[in-house]
CSV table of all heavy atoms in Angstrom, one decimal:
chain,number,residue,atom,x,y,z
A,853,MET,N,40.2,-22.9,26.9
A,853,MET,CA,41.3,-22.3,26.2
A,853,MET,C,41.0,-22.1,24.7
A,853,MET,O,40.4,-23.0,24.1
A,853,MET,CB,42.6,-23.2,26.3
A,853,MET,CG,43.9,-22.5,26.1
A,853,MET,SD,45.3,-23.6,26.0
A,853,MET,CE,45.4,-24.1,27.7
A,854,ALA,N,41.4,-21.0,24.1
A,854,ALA,CA,41.1,-20.8,22.7
A,854,ALA,C,42.0,-21.8,21.9
A,854,ALA,O,43.0,-22.2,22.3
A,854,ALA,CB,41.4,-19.4,22.3
A,855,ASP,N,41.4,-22.1,20.7
A,855,ASP,CA,42.2,-23.0,19.8
A,855,ASP,C,43.6,-22.6,19.5
A,855,ASP,O,44.5,-23.4,19.6
A,855,ASP,CB,41.4,-23.2,18.5
A,855,ASP,CG,40.2,-24.1,18.6
A,855,ASP,OD1,39.9,-24.4,19.8
A,855,ASP,OD2,39.6,-24.4,17.6
A,856,ASP,N,43.7,-21.3,19.2
A,856,ASP,CA,45.1,-20.8,18.9
A,856,ASP,C,46.0,-21.0,20.0
A,856,ASP,O,47.2,-21.4,19.8
A,856,ASP,CB,45.0,-19.3,18.6
A,856,ASP,CG,44.4,-19.0,17.2
A,856,ASP,OD1,44.0,-20.0,16.5
A,856,ASP,OD2,44.4,-17.9,16.8
A,857,GLN,N,45.6,-20.6,21.2
A,857,GLN,CA,46.4,-20.7,22.4
A,857,GLN,C,46.8,-22.2,22.7
A,857,GLN,O,48.0,-22.5,23.0
A,857,GLN,CB,45.7,-20.2,23.7
A,857,GLN,CG,45.7,-18.7,23.7
A,857,GLN,CD,44.9,-18.1,24.8
A,857,GLN,OE1,43.8,-18.7,25.1
A,857,GLN,NE2,45.4,-17.1,25.5
A,858,GLN,N,45.9,-23.1,22.5
A,858,GLN,CA,46.1,-24.5,22.7
A,858,GLN,C,47.2,-25.0,21.7
A,858,GLN,O,48.1,-25.7,22.0
A,858,GLN,CB,44.9,-25.3,22.6
A,858,GLN,CG,45.1,-26.8,23.0
A,858,GLN,CD,43.9,-27.6,22.9
A,858,GLN,OE1,42.8,-27.1,22.7
A,858,GLN,NE2,44.0,-28.9,23.1
A,859,PHE,N,47.0,-24.5,20.4
A,859,PHE,CA,47.9,-25.0,19.4
A,859,PHE,C,49.3,-24.4,19.6
A,859,PHE,O,50.3,-25.1,19.5
A,859,PHE,CB,47.4,-24.5,18.0
A,859,PHE,CG,48.3,-25.1,16.9
A,859,PHE,CD1,48.3,-26.4,16.6
A,859,PHE,CD2,49.1,-24.2,16.2
A,859,PHE,CE1,49.0,-26.9,15.6
A,859,PHE,CE2,49.9,-24.7,15.1
A,859,PHE,CZ,49.9,-26.1,14.8
A,860,ILE,N,49.4,-23.1,20.1
A,860,ILE,CA,50.7,-22.5,20.4
A,860,ILE,C,51.4,-23.3,21.5
A,860,ILE,O,52.6,-23.6,21.5
A,860,ILE,CB,50.5,-21.0,20.7
A,860,ILE,CG1,50.2,-20.3,19.4
A,860,ILE,CG2,51.8,-20.5,21.3
A,860,ILE,CD1,49.6,-18.9,19.7
A,861,ALA,N,50.6,-23.6,22.6
A,861,ALA,CA,51.2,-24.4,23.7
A,861,ALA,C,51.7,-25.7,23.2
A,861,ALA,O,52.8,-26.2,23.7
A,861,ALA,CB,50.1,-24.5,24.8
A,862,TYR,N,51.0,-26.3,22.3
A,862,TYR,CA,51.4,-27.6,21.8
A,862,TYR,C,52.7,-27.5,21.0
A,862,TYR,O,53.6,-28.3,21.2
A,862,TYR,CB,50.2,-28.2,20.9
A,862,TYR,CG,50.5,-29.3,20.0
A,862,TYR,CD1,51.4,-30.3,20.3
A,862,TYR,CD2,49.9,-29.3,18.7
A,862,TYR,CE1,51.6,-31.4,19.4
A,862,TYR,CE2,50.1,-30.3,17.8
A,862,TYR,CZ,51.0,-31.4,18.2
A,862,TYR,OH,51.3,-32.4,17.3
A,863,MET,N,52.7,-26.5,20.2
A,863,MET,CA,54.0,-26.3,19.4
A,863,MET,C,55.2,-25.9,20.2
A,863,MET,O,56.3,-26.4,20.0
A,863,MET,CB,53.7,-25.1,18.4
A,863,MET,CG,52.9,-25.6,17.1
A,863,MET,SD,53.8,-26.8,16.1
A,863,MET,CE,52.8,-28.2,16.4
A,864,GLN,N,54.9,-25.2,21.3
A,864,GLN,CA,56.0,-24.8,22.2
A,864,GLN,C,56.5,-26.1,22.9
A,864,GLN,O,57.7,-26.3,23.1
A,864,GLN,CB,55.6,-23.8,23.2
A,864,GLN,CG,55.6,-22.4,22.6
A,864,GLN,CD,54.9,-21.4,23.5
A,864,GLN,OE1,54.2,-21.7,24.4
A,864,GLN,NE2,55.2,-20.1,23.2
A,865,ALA,N,55.6,-26.9,23.3
A,865,ALA,CA,56.0,-28.2,24.0
A,865,ALA,C,56.7,-29.1,23.0
A,865,ALA,O,57.7,-29.8,23.4
A,865,ALA,CB,54.7,-28.9,24.5
A,866,PHE,N,56.3,-29.1,21.7
A,866,PHE,CA,57.0,-29.9,20.7
A,866,PHE,C,58.4,-29.4,20.5
A,866,PHE,O,59.3,-30.2,20.5
A,866,PHE,CB,56.2,-29.7,19.4
A,866,PHE,CG,56.9,-30.3,18.2
A,866,PHE,CD1,57.1,-31.7,18.1
A,866,PHE,CD2,57.4,-29.5,17.2
A,866,PHE,CE1,57.7,-32.2,17.0
A,866,PHE,CE2,58.1,-30.0,16.1
A,866,PHE,CZ,58.3,-31.3,16.0
A,867,GLU,N,58.6,-28.1,20.5
A,867,GLU,CA,59.9,-27.5,20.3
A,867,GLU,C,60.8,-27.8,21.4
A,867,GLU,O,62.0,-28.2,21.3
A,867,GLU,CB,59.8,-26.0,20.1
A,867,GLU,CG,59.6,-25.6,18.7
A,867,GLU,CD,59.3,-24.1,18.6
A,867,GLU,OE1,59.8,-23.3,19.4
A,867,GLU,OE2,58.6,-23.7,17.6
A,868,LYS,N,60.3,-27.7,22.7
A,868,LYS,CA,61.1,-28.0,23.8
A,868,LYS,C,61.5,-29.5,23.8
A,868,LYS,O,62.7,-29.8,24.1
A,868,LYS,CB,60.3,-27.8,25.1
A,868,LYS,CG,60.5,-26.5,25.7
A,868,LYS,CD,59.9,-26.6,27.2
A,868,LYS,CE,59.5,-25.2,27.7
A,868,LYS,NZ,58.7,-25.4,28.9
A,869,SER,N,60.6,-30.4,23.5
A,869,SER,CA,60.9,-31.8,23.5
A,869,SER,C,61.9,-32.1,22.4
A,869,SER,O,62.9,-32.9,22.7
A,869,SER,CB,59.5,-32.5,23.2
A,869,SER,OG,59.8,-33.9,23.1
A,870,THR,N,61.7,-31.5,21.2
A,870,THR,CA,62.7,-31.8,20.1
A,870,THR,C,64.0,-31.3,20.4
A,870,THR,O,65.1,-31.9,20.2
A,870,THR,CB,62.1,-31.1,18.8
A,870,THR,OG1,60.8,-31.6,18.6
A,870,THR,CG2,63.0,-31.5,17.6
A,871,GLU,N,64.1,-30.1,21.0
A,871,GLU,CA,65.3,-29.4,21.4
A,871,GLU,C,66.1,-30.3,22.4
A,871,GLU,O,67.3,-30.5,22.3
A,871,GLU,CB,65.0,-28.1,22.0
A,871,GLU,CG,66.2,-27.1,22.1
A,871,GLU,CD,65.7,-25.8,22.6
A,871,GLU,OE1,64.9,-25.1,22.0
A,871,GLU,OE2,66.2,-25.4,23.7
A,872,HIS,N,65.3,-30.8,23.4
A,872,HIS,CA,66.0,-31.6,24.4
A,872,HIS,C,66.5,-32.9,23.8
A,872,HIS,O,67.6,-33.3,24.0
A,872,HIS,CB,65.0,-31.9,25.5
A,872,HIS,CG,65.7,-32.8,26.6
A,872,HIS,ND1,66.4,-32.3,27.6
A,872,HIS,CD2,65.6,-34.2,26.7
A,872,HIS,CE1,66.9,-33.4,28.3
A,872,HIS,NE2,66.4,-34.5,27.8
A,873,LEU,N,65.7,-33.5,22.9
A,873,LEU,CA,66.0,-34.8,22.3
A,873,LEU,C,67.3,-34.6,21.5
A,873,LEU,O,68.2,-35.5,21.5
A,873,LEU,CB,64.9,-35.2,21.3
A,873,LEU,CG,63.9,-36.2,21.7
A,873,LEU,CD1,63.0,-36.5,20.6
A,873,LEU,CD2,64.6,-37.5,22.2
A,874,GLY,N,67.5,-33.5,20.8
A,874,GLY,CA,68.7,-33.3,20.0
A,874,GLY,C,70.0,-33.3,20.8
A,874,GLY,O,71.0,-33.5,20.2
A,875,SER,N,69.9,-33.0,22.1
A,875,SER,CA,71.1,-32.9,22.9
A,875,SER,C,71.2,-34.0,24.0
A,875,SER,O,72.0,-33.9,24.9
A,875,SER,CB,71.2,-31.5,23.4
A,875,SER,OG,70.1,-31.3,24.3
A,876,CYS,N,70.3,-34.9,23.9
A,876,CYS,CA,70.2,-35.9,25.0
A,876,CYS,C,70.2,-37.4,24.5
A,876,CYS,O,69.2,-37.8,24.0
A,876,CYS,CB,69.0,-35.7,25.9
A,876,CYS,SG,69.0,-36.8,27.3
A,877,PRO,N,71.4,-38.0,24.5
A,877,PRO,CA,71.5,-39.4,24.0
A,877,PRO,C,70.5,-40.4,24.7
A,877,PRO,O,70.0,-41.3,24.1
A,877,PRO,CB,72.9,-39.8,24.2
A,877,PRO,CG,73.7,-38.5,24.4
A,877,PRO,CD,72.7,-37.5,25.0
A,878,ALA,N,70.3,-40.2,26.0
A,878,ALA,CA,69.5,-41.1,26.8
A,878,ALA,C,68.0,-41.0,26.2
A,878,ALA,O,67.4,-42.1,26.0
A,878,ALA,CB,69.5,-40.7,28.2
A,879,CYS,N,67.5,-39.8,26.0
A,879,CYS,CA,66.2,-39.7,25.5
A,879,CYS,C,66.1,-40.2,24.1
A,879,CYS,O,65.1,-40.7,23.6
A,879,CYS,CB,65.7,-38.2,25.6
A,879,CYS,SG,65.3,-37.7,27.3
A,880,GLN,N,67.1,-40.0,23.3
A,880,GLN,CA,67.1,-40.5,21.9
A,880,GLN,C,67.0,-42.0,21.9
A,880,GLN,O,66.4,-42.6,20.9
A,880,GLN,CB,68.4,-40.1,21.2
A,880,GLN,CG,68.5,-38.6,20.7
A,880,GLN,CD,69.8,-38.2,20.3
A,880,GLN,OE1,70.6,-39.0,19.9
A,880,GLN,NE2,70.1,-36.9,20.4
A,881,LYS,N,67.5,-42.7,22.9
A,881,LYS,CA,67.5,-44.1,22.9
A,881,LYS,C,66.2,-44.6,23.5
A,881,LYS,O,66.0,-45.8,23.7
A,881,LYS,CB,68.6,-44.7,23.8
A,881,LYS,CG,69.9,-44.8,23.0
A,881,LYS,CD,71.0,-45.5,23.8
A,881,LYS,CE,71.6,-44.6,24.9
A,881,LYS,NZ,72.7,-45.2,25.6
A,882,GLY,N,65.3,-43.7,23.8
A,882,GLY,CA,64.0,-44.1,24.3
A,882,GLY,C,64.0,-44.4,25.8
A,882,GLY,O,63.2,-45.1,26.4
A,883,ASP,N,65.0,-43.8,26.5
A,883,ASP,CA,65.2,-44.0,27.9
A,883,ASP,C,65.3,-42.6,28.5
A,883,ASP,O,66.4,-42.2,28.9
A,883,ASP,CB,66.4,-44.8,28.2
A,883,ASP,CG,66.6,-45.1,29.7
A,883,ASP,OD1,65.7,-45.0,30.5
A,883,ASP,OD2,67.8,-45.3,30.1
A,884,PRO,N,64.1,-41.9,28.7
A,884,PRO,CA,64.1,-40.5,29.1
A,884,PRO,C,64.8,-40.2,30.4
A,884,PRO,O,64.7,-41.0,31.4
A,884,PRO,CB,62.6,-40.2,29.2
A,884,PRO,CG,61.9,-41.2,28.4
A,884,PRO,CD,62.8,-42.4,28.5
A,885,CYS,N,65.7,-39.2,30.4
A,885,CYS,CA,66.4,-38.8,31.6
A,885,CYS,C,65.4,-38.0,32.5
A,885,CYS,O,64.3,-37.7,32.1
A,885,CYS,CB,67.6,-37.9,31.3
A,885,CYS,SG,67.1,-36.3,30.5
A,886,ARG,N,65.9,-37.7,33.7
A,886,ARG,CA,65.0,-37.0,34.7
A,886,ARG,C,64.6,-35.6,34.2
A,886,ARG,O,63.5,-35.1,34.5
A,886,ARG,CB,65.7,-36.8,36.0
A,886,ARG,CG,65.6,-38.1,36.9
A,886,ARG,CD,65.9,-37.8,38.3
A,886,ARG,NE,67.3,-37.2,38.3
A,886,ARG,CZ,67.8,-36.6,39.4
A,886,ARG,NH1,67.1,-36.5,40.5
A,886,ARG,NH2,69.0,-36.1,39.4
A,887,ILE,N,65.4,-35.0,33.4
A,887,ILE,CA,65.1,-33.7,32.9
A,887,ILE,C,64.1,-33.8,31.7
A,887,ILE,O,63.1,-33.1,31.6
A,887,ILE,CB,66.3,-32.9,32.4
A,887,ILE,CG1,67.2,-32.6,33.6
A,887,ILE,CG2,66.0,-31.6,31.7
A,887,ILE,CD1,68.7,-32.3,33.2
A,888,GLY,N,64.4,-34.8,30.9
A,888,GLY,CA,63.6,-34.9,29.6
A,888,GLY,C,62.2,-35.5,29.9
A,888,GLY,O,61.3,-35.2,29.2
A,889,GLU,N,62.1,-36.4,30.9
A,889,GLU,CA,60.8,-37.1,31.1
A,889,GLU,C,59.6,-36.2,31.2
A,889,GLU,O,58.7,-36.4,30.5
A,889,GLU,CB,61.0,-38.0,32.3
A,889,GLU,CG,60.0,-39.2,32.3
A,889,GLU,CD,58.7,-38.7,32.9
A,889,GLU,OE1,58.7,-37.8,33.8
A,889,GLU,OE2,57.7,-39.3,32.5
A,890,PRO,N,59.7,-35.2,32.1
A,890,PRO,CA,58.5,-34.3,32.2
A,890,PRO,C,58.3,-33.5,30.9
A,890,PRO,O,57.1,-33.1,30.5
A,890,PRO,CB,58.8,-33.4,33.4
A,890,PRO,CG,60.3,-33.5,33.6
A,890,PRO,CD,60.7,-34.9,33.1
A,891,ILE,N,59.4,-33.2,30.2
A,891,ILE,CA,59.2,-32.4,28.9
A,891,ILE,C,58.5,-33.2,27.9
A,891,ILE,O,57.6,-32.7,27.2
A,891,ILE,CB,60.6,-32.0,28.4
A,891,ILE,CG1,61.3,-31.0,29.4
A,891,ILE,CG2,60.5,-31.3,27.1
A,891,ILE,CD1,62.8,-30.7,29.1
A,892,HIS,N,58.9,-34.4,27.8
A,892,HIS,CA,58.3,-35.3,26.8
A,892,HIS,C,56.9,-35.7,27.2
A,892,HIS,O,56.0,-35.7,26.3
A,892,HIS,CB,59.1,-36.6,26.6
A,892,HIS,CG,60.5,-36.3,26.2
A,892,HIS,ND1,60.9,-35.4,25.2
A,892,HIS,CD2,61.7,-36.8,26.6
A,892,HIS,CE1,62.2,-35.4,25.1
A,892,HIS,NE2,62.7,-36.2,26.0
A,893,ALA,N,56.6,-35.9,28.5
A,893,ALA,CA,55.3,-36.2,29.0
A,893,ALA,C,54.4,-35.0,28.7
A,893,ALA,O,53.2,-35.2,28.3
A,893,ALA,CB,55.3,-36.5,30.5
A,894,ASP,N,54.9,-33.8,28.9
A,894,ASP,CA,54.1,-32.6,28.6
A,894,ASP,C,53.7,-32.5,27.2
A,894,ASP,O,52.6,-32.2,26.8
A,894,ASP,CB,54.9,-31.4,29.1
A,894,ASP,CG,54.1,-30.1,28.9
A,894,ASP,OD1,52.9,-30.0,29.4
A,894,ASP,OD2,54.6,-29.1,28.3
A,895,PHE,N,54.7,-32.7,26.3
A,895,PHE,CA,54.4,-32.7,24.9
A,895,PHE,C,53.4,-33.8,24.5
A,895,PHE,O,52.5,-33.5,23.7
A,895,PHE,CB,55.8,-32.9,24.1
A,895,PHE,CG,55.5,-33.3,22.7
A,895,PHE,CD1,54.8,-32.4,21.8
A,895,PHE,CD2,56.1,-34.4,22.1
A,895,PHE,CE1,54.6,-32.8,20.5
A,895,PHE,CE2,55.9,-34.8,20.8
A,895,PHE,CZ,55.2,-33.9,20.0
A,896,GLU,N,53.6,-35.0,25.0
A,896,GLU,CA,52.6,-36.0,24.6
A,896,GLU,C,51.2,-35.7,25.1
A,896,GLU,O,50.2,-36.0,24.4
A,896,GLU,CB,53.1,-37.4,25.2
A,896,GLU,CG,54.2,-38.0,24.4
A,896,GLU,CD,54.9,-39.1,25.1
A,896,GLU,OE1,54.3,-39.8,26.0
A,896,GLU,OE2,56.1,-39.4,24.7
A,897,ALA,N,51.1,-35.1,26.3
A,897,ALA,CA,49.8,-34.8,26.8
A,897,ALA,C,49.1,-33.7,25.9
A,897,ALA,O,47.9,-33.8,25.5
A,897,ALA,CB,49.9,-34.3,28.2
A,898,LYS,N,49.9,-32.7,25.5
A,898,LYS,CA,49.4,-31.7,24.6
A,898,LYS,C,49.1,-32.2,23.2
A,898,LYS,O,48.1,-31.8,22.6
A,898,LYS,CB,50.4,-30.5,24.6
A,898,LYS,CG,50.4,-29.7,25.8
A,898,LYS,CD,51.3,-28.5,25.7
A,898,LYS,CE,51.0,-27.5,26.8
A,898,LYS,NZ,51.5,-28.0,28.1
A,899,GLN,N,49.9,-33.1,22.8
A,899,GLN,CA,49.7,-33.7,21.5
A,899,GLN,C,48.4,-34.5,21.5
A,899,GLN,O,47.6,-34.4,20.6
A,899,GLN,CB,50.9,-34.6,21.1
A,899,GLN,CG,50.8,-35.2,19.7
A,899,GLN,CD,52.0,-36.0,19.3
A,899,GLN,OE1,52.4,-36.9,20.1
A,899,GLN,NE2,52.6,-35.8,18.2
A,900,ASP,N,48.2,-35.3,22.6
A,900,ASP,CA,47.0,-36.1,22.7
A,900,ASP,C,45.8,-35.2,22.7
A,900,ASP,O,44.8,-35.5,22.0
A,900,ASP,CB,47.0,-36.9,24.0
A,900,ASP,CG,47.6,-38.2,23.9
A,900,ASP,OD1,48.2,-38.5,22.8
A,900,ASP,OD2,47.6,-39.0,24.9
A,901,ALA,N,45.8,-34.2,23.5
A,901,ALA,CA,44.7,-33.3,23.6
A,901,ALA,C,44.4,-32.6,22.3
A,901,ALA,O,43.2,-32.5,21.9
A,901,ALA,CB,45.0,-32.2,24.7
A,902,TRP,N,45.4,-32.2,21.6
A,902,TRP,CA,45.2,-31.5,20.3
A,902,TRP,C,44.7,-32.5,19.2
A,902,TRP,O,43.8,-32.2,18.5
A,902,TRP,CB,46.5,-30.9,19.8
A,902,TRP,CG,46.3,-30.2,18.5
A,902,TRP,CD1,46.7,-30.5,17.3
A,902,TRP,CD2,45.6,-28.9,18.4
A,902,TRP,NE1,46.3,-29.6,16.4
A,902,TRP,CE2,45.6,-28.6,17.0
A,902,TRP,CE3,45.0,-28.0,19.3
A,902,TRP,CZ2,45.0,-27.4,16.5
A,902,TRP,CZ3,44.5,-26.8,18.8
A,902,TRP,CH2,44.5,-26.5,17.4
A,903,THR,N,45.2,-33.7,19.2
A,903,THR,CA,44.8,-34.7,18.3
A,903,THR,C,43.3,-35.1,18.5
A,903,THR,O,42.6,-35.2,17.5
A,903,THR,CB,45.7,-36.0,18.4
A,903,THR,OG1,47.0,-35.6,18.2
A,903,THR,CG2,45.3,-37.0,17.4
A,904,LYS,N,42.9,-35.2,19.8
A,904,LYS,CA,41.5,-35.5,20.1
A,904,LYS,C,40.6,-34.4,19.6
A,904,LYS,O,39.5,-34.6,19.2
A,904,LYS,CB,41.4,-35.7,21.6
A,904,LYS,CG,41.7,-37.2,21.9
A,904,LYS,CD,41.5,-37.4,23.4
A,904,LYS,CE,42.1,-38.7,23.8
A,904,LYS,NZ,42.8,-38.6,25.1
A,905,LYS,N,41.1,-33.2,19.7
A,905,LYS,CA,40.3,-32.0,19.4
A,905,LYS,C,40.1,-31.9,17.9
A,905,LYS,O,39.0,-31.7,17.4
A,905,LYS,CB,41.1,-30.8,19.9
A,905,LYS,CG,40.2,-29.5,19.9
A,905,LYS,CD,41.1,-28.3,20.3
A,905,LYS,CE,40.4,-27.1,20.4
A,905,LYS,NZ,39.7,-26.9,21.8
A,906,VAL,N,41.2,-32.1,17.1
A,906,VAL,CA,41.0,-31.9,15.6
A,906,VAL,C,40.8,-33.2,14.9
A,906,VAL,O,40.4,-33.2,13.8
A,906,VAL,CB,42.3,-31.2,15.1
A,906,VAL,CG1,42.4,-29.8,15.7
A,906,VAL,CG2,43.5,-32.0,15.2
A,907,GLY,N,41.2,-34.4,15.6
A,907,GLY,CA,41.2,-35.6,14.9
A,907,GLY,C,39.8,-36.2,14.7
A,907,GLY,O,39.0,-36.0,15.5
A,908,ARG,N,39.7,-36.9,13.6
A,908,ARG,CA,38.4,-37.6,13.4
A,908,ARG,C,38.6,-38.6,12.3
A,908,ARG,O,39.6,-38.6,11.6
A,908,ARG,CB,37.3,-36.6,13.0
A,908,ARG,CG,37.6,-35.9,11.6
A,908,ARG,CD,36.5,-34.9,11.4
A,908,ARG,NE,36.7,-33.7,12.3
A,908,ARG,CZ,36.3,-32.5,12.0
A,908,ARG,NH1,35.6,-32.3,10.9
A,908,ARG,NH2,36.5,-31.5,12.8
B,1232,LIG,ZN1,67.0,-36.3,28.2
């Protein structure tokens, strides 16, 4: 995957996760709901991958 595409996917996952968090008290408390769990997991996976790619 090209860097740009990976970054865009990461940002989209971040937006989805943040958007869900804003409207979900359970996820805000660190107890992800069934809807939020895969959204946050997806964001964390993409964040990990991106951090490993650019991080040093
Ligand atoms: Zn939630």
Side-chain angles (χ1 to χ4, degrees):
M853 198 189 290
D855 283 7
D856 283 5
Q857 284 173 318
Q858 187 179 352
F859 186 71
I860 288 164
Y862 164 39
M863 281 296 112
Q864 282 172 342
F866 170 72
E867 274 172 27
K868 265 199 208 169
S869 176
T870 303
E871 194 179 297
H872 178 85
L873 262 184
S875 62
C876 185
C879 286
Q880 283 169 25
K881 276 189 284 185
D883 181 23
C885 67
R886 276 197 305 169
I887 297 163
E889 201 276 330
I891 296 173
H892 304 313
D894 182 53
F895 164 57
E896 278 165 27
K898 287 185 165 68
Q899 185 179 46
D900 269 9
W902 184 255
T903 303
K904 274 181 195 139
K905 193 185 185 84
V906 299
R908 65 186 72 157

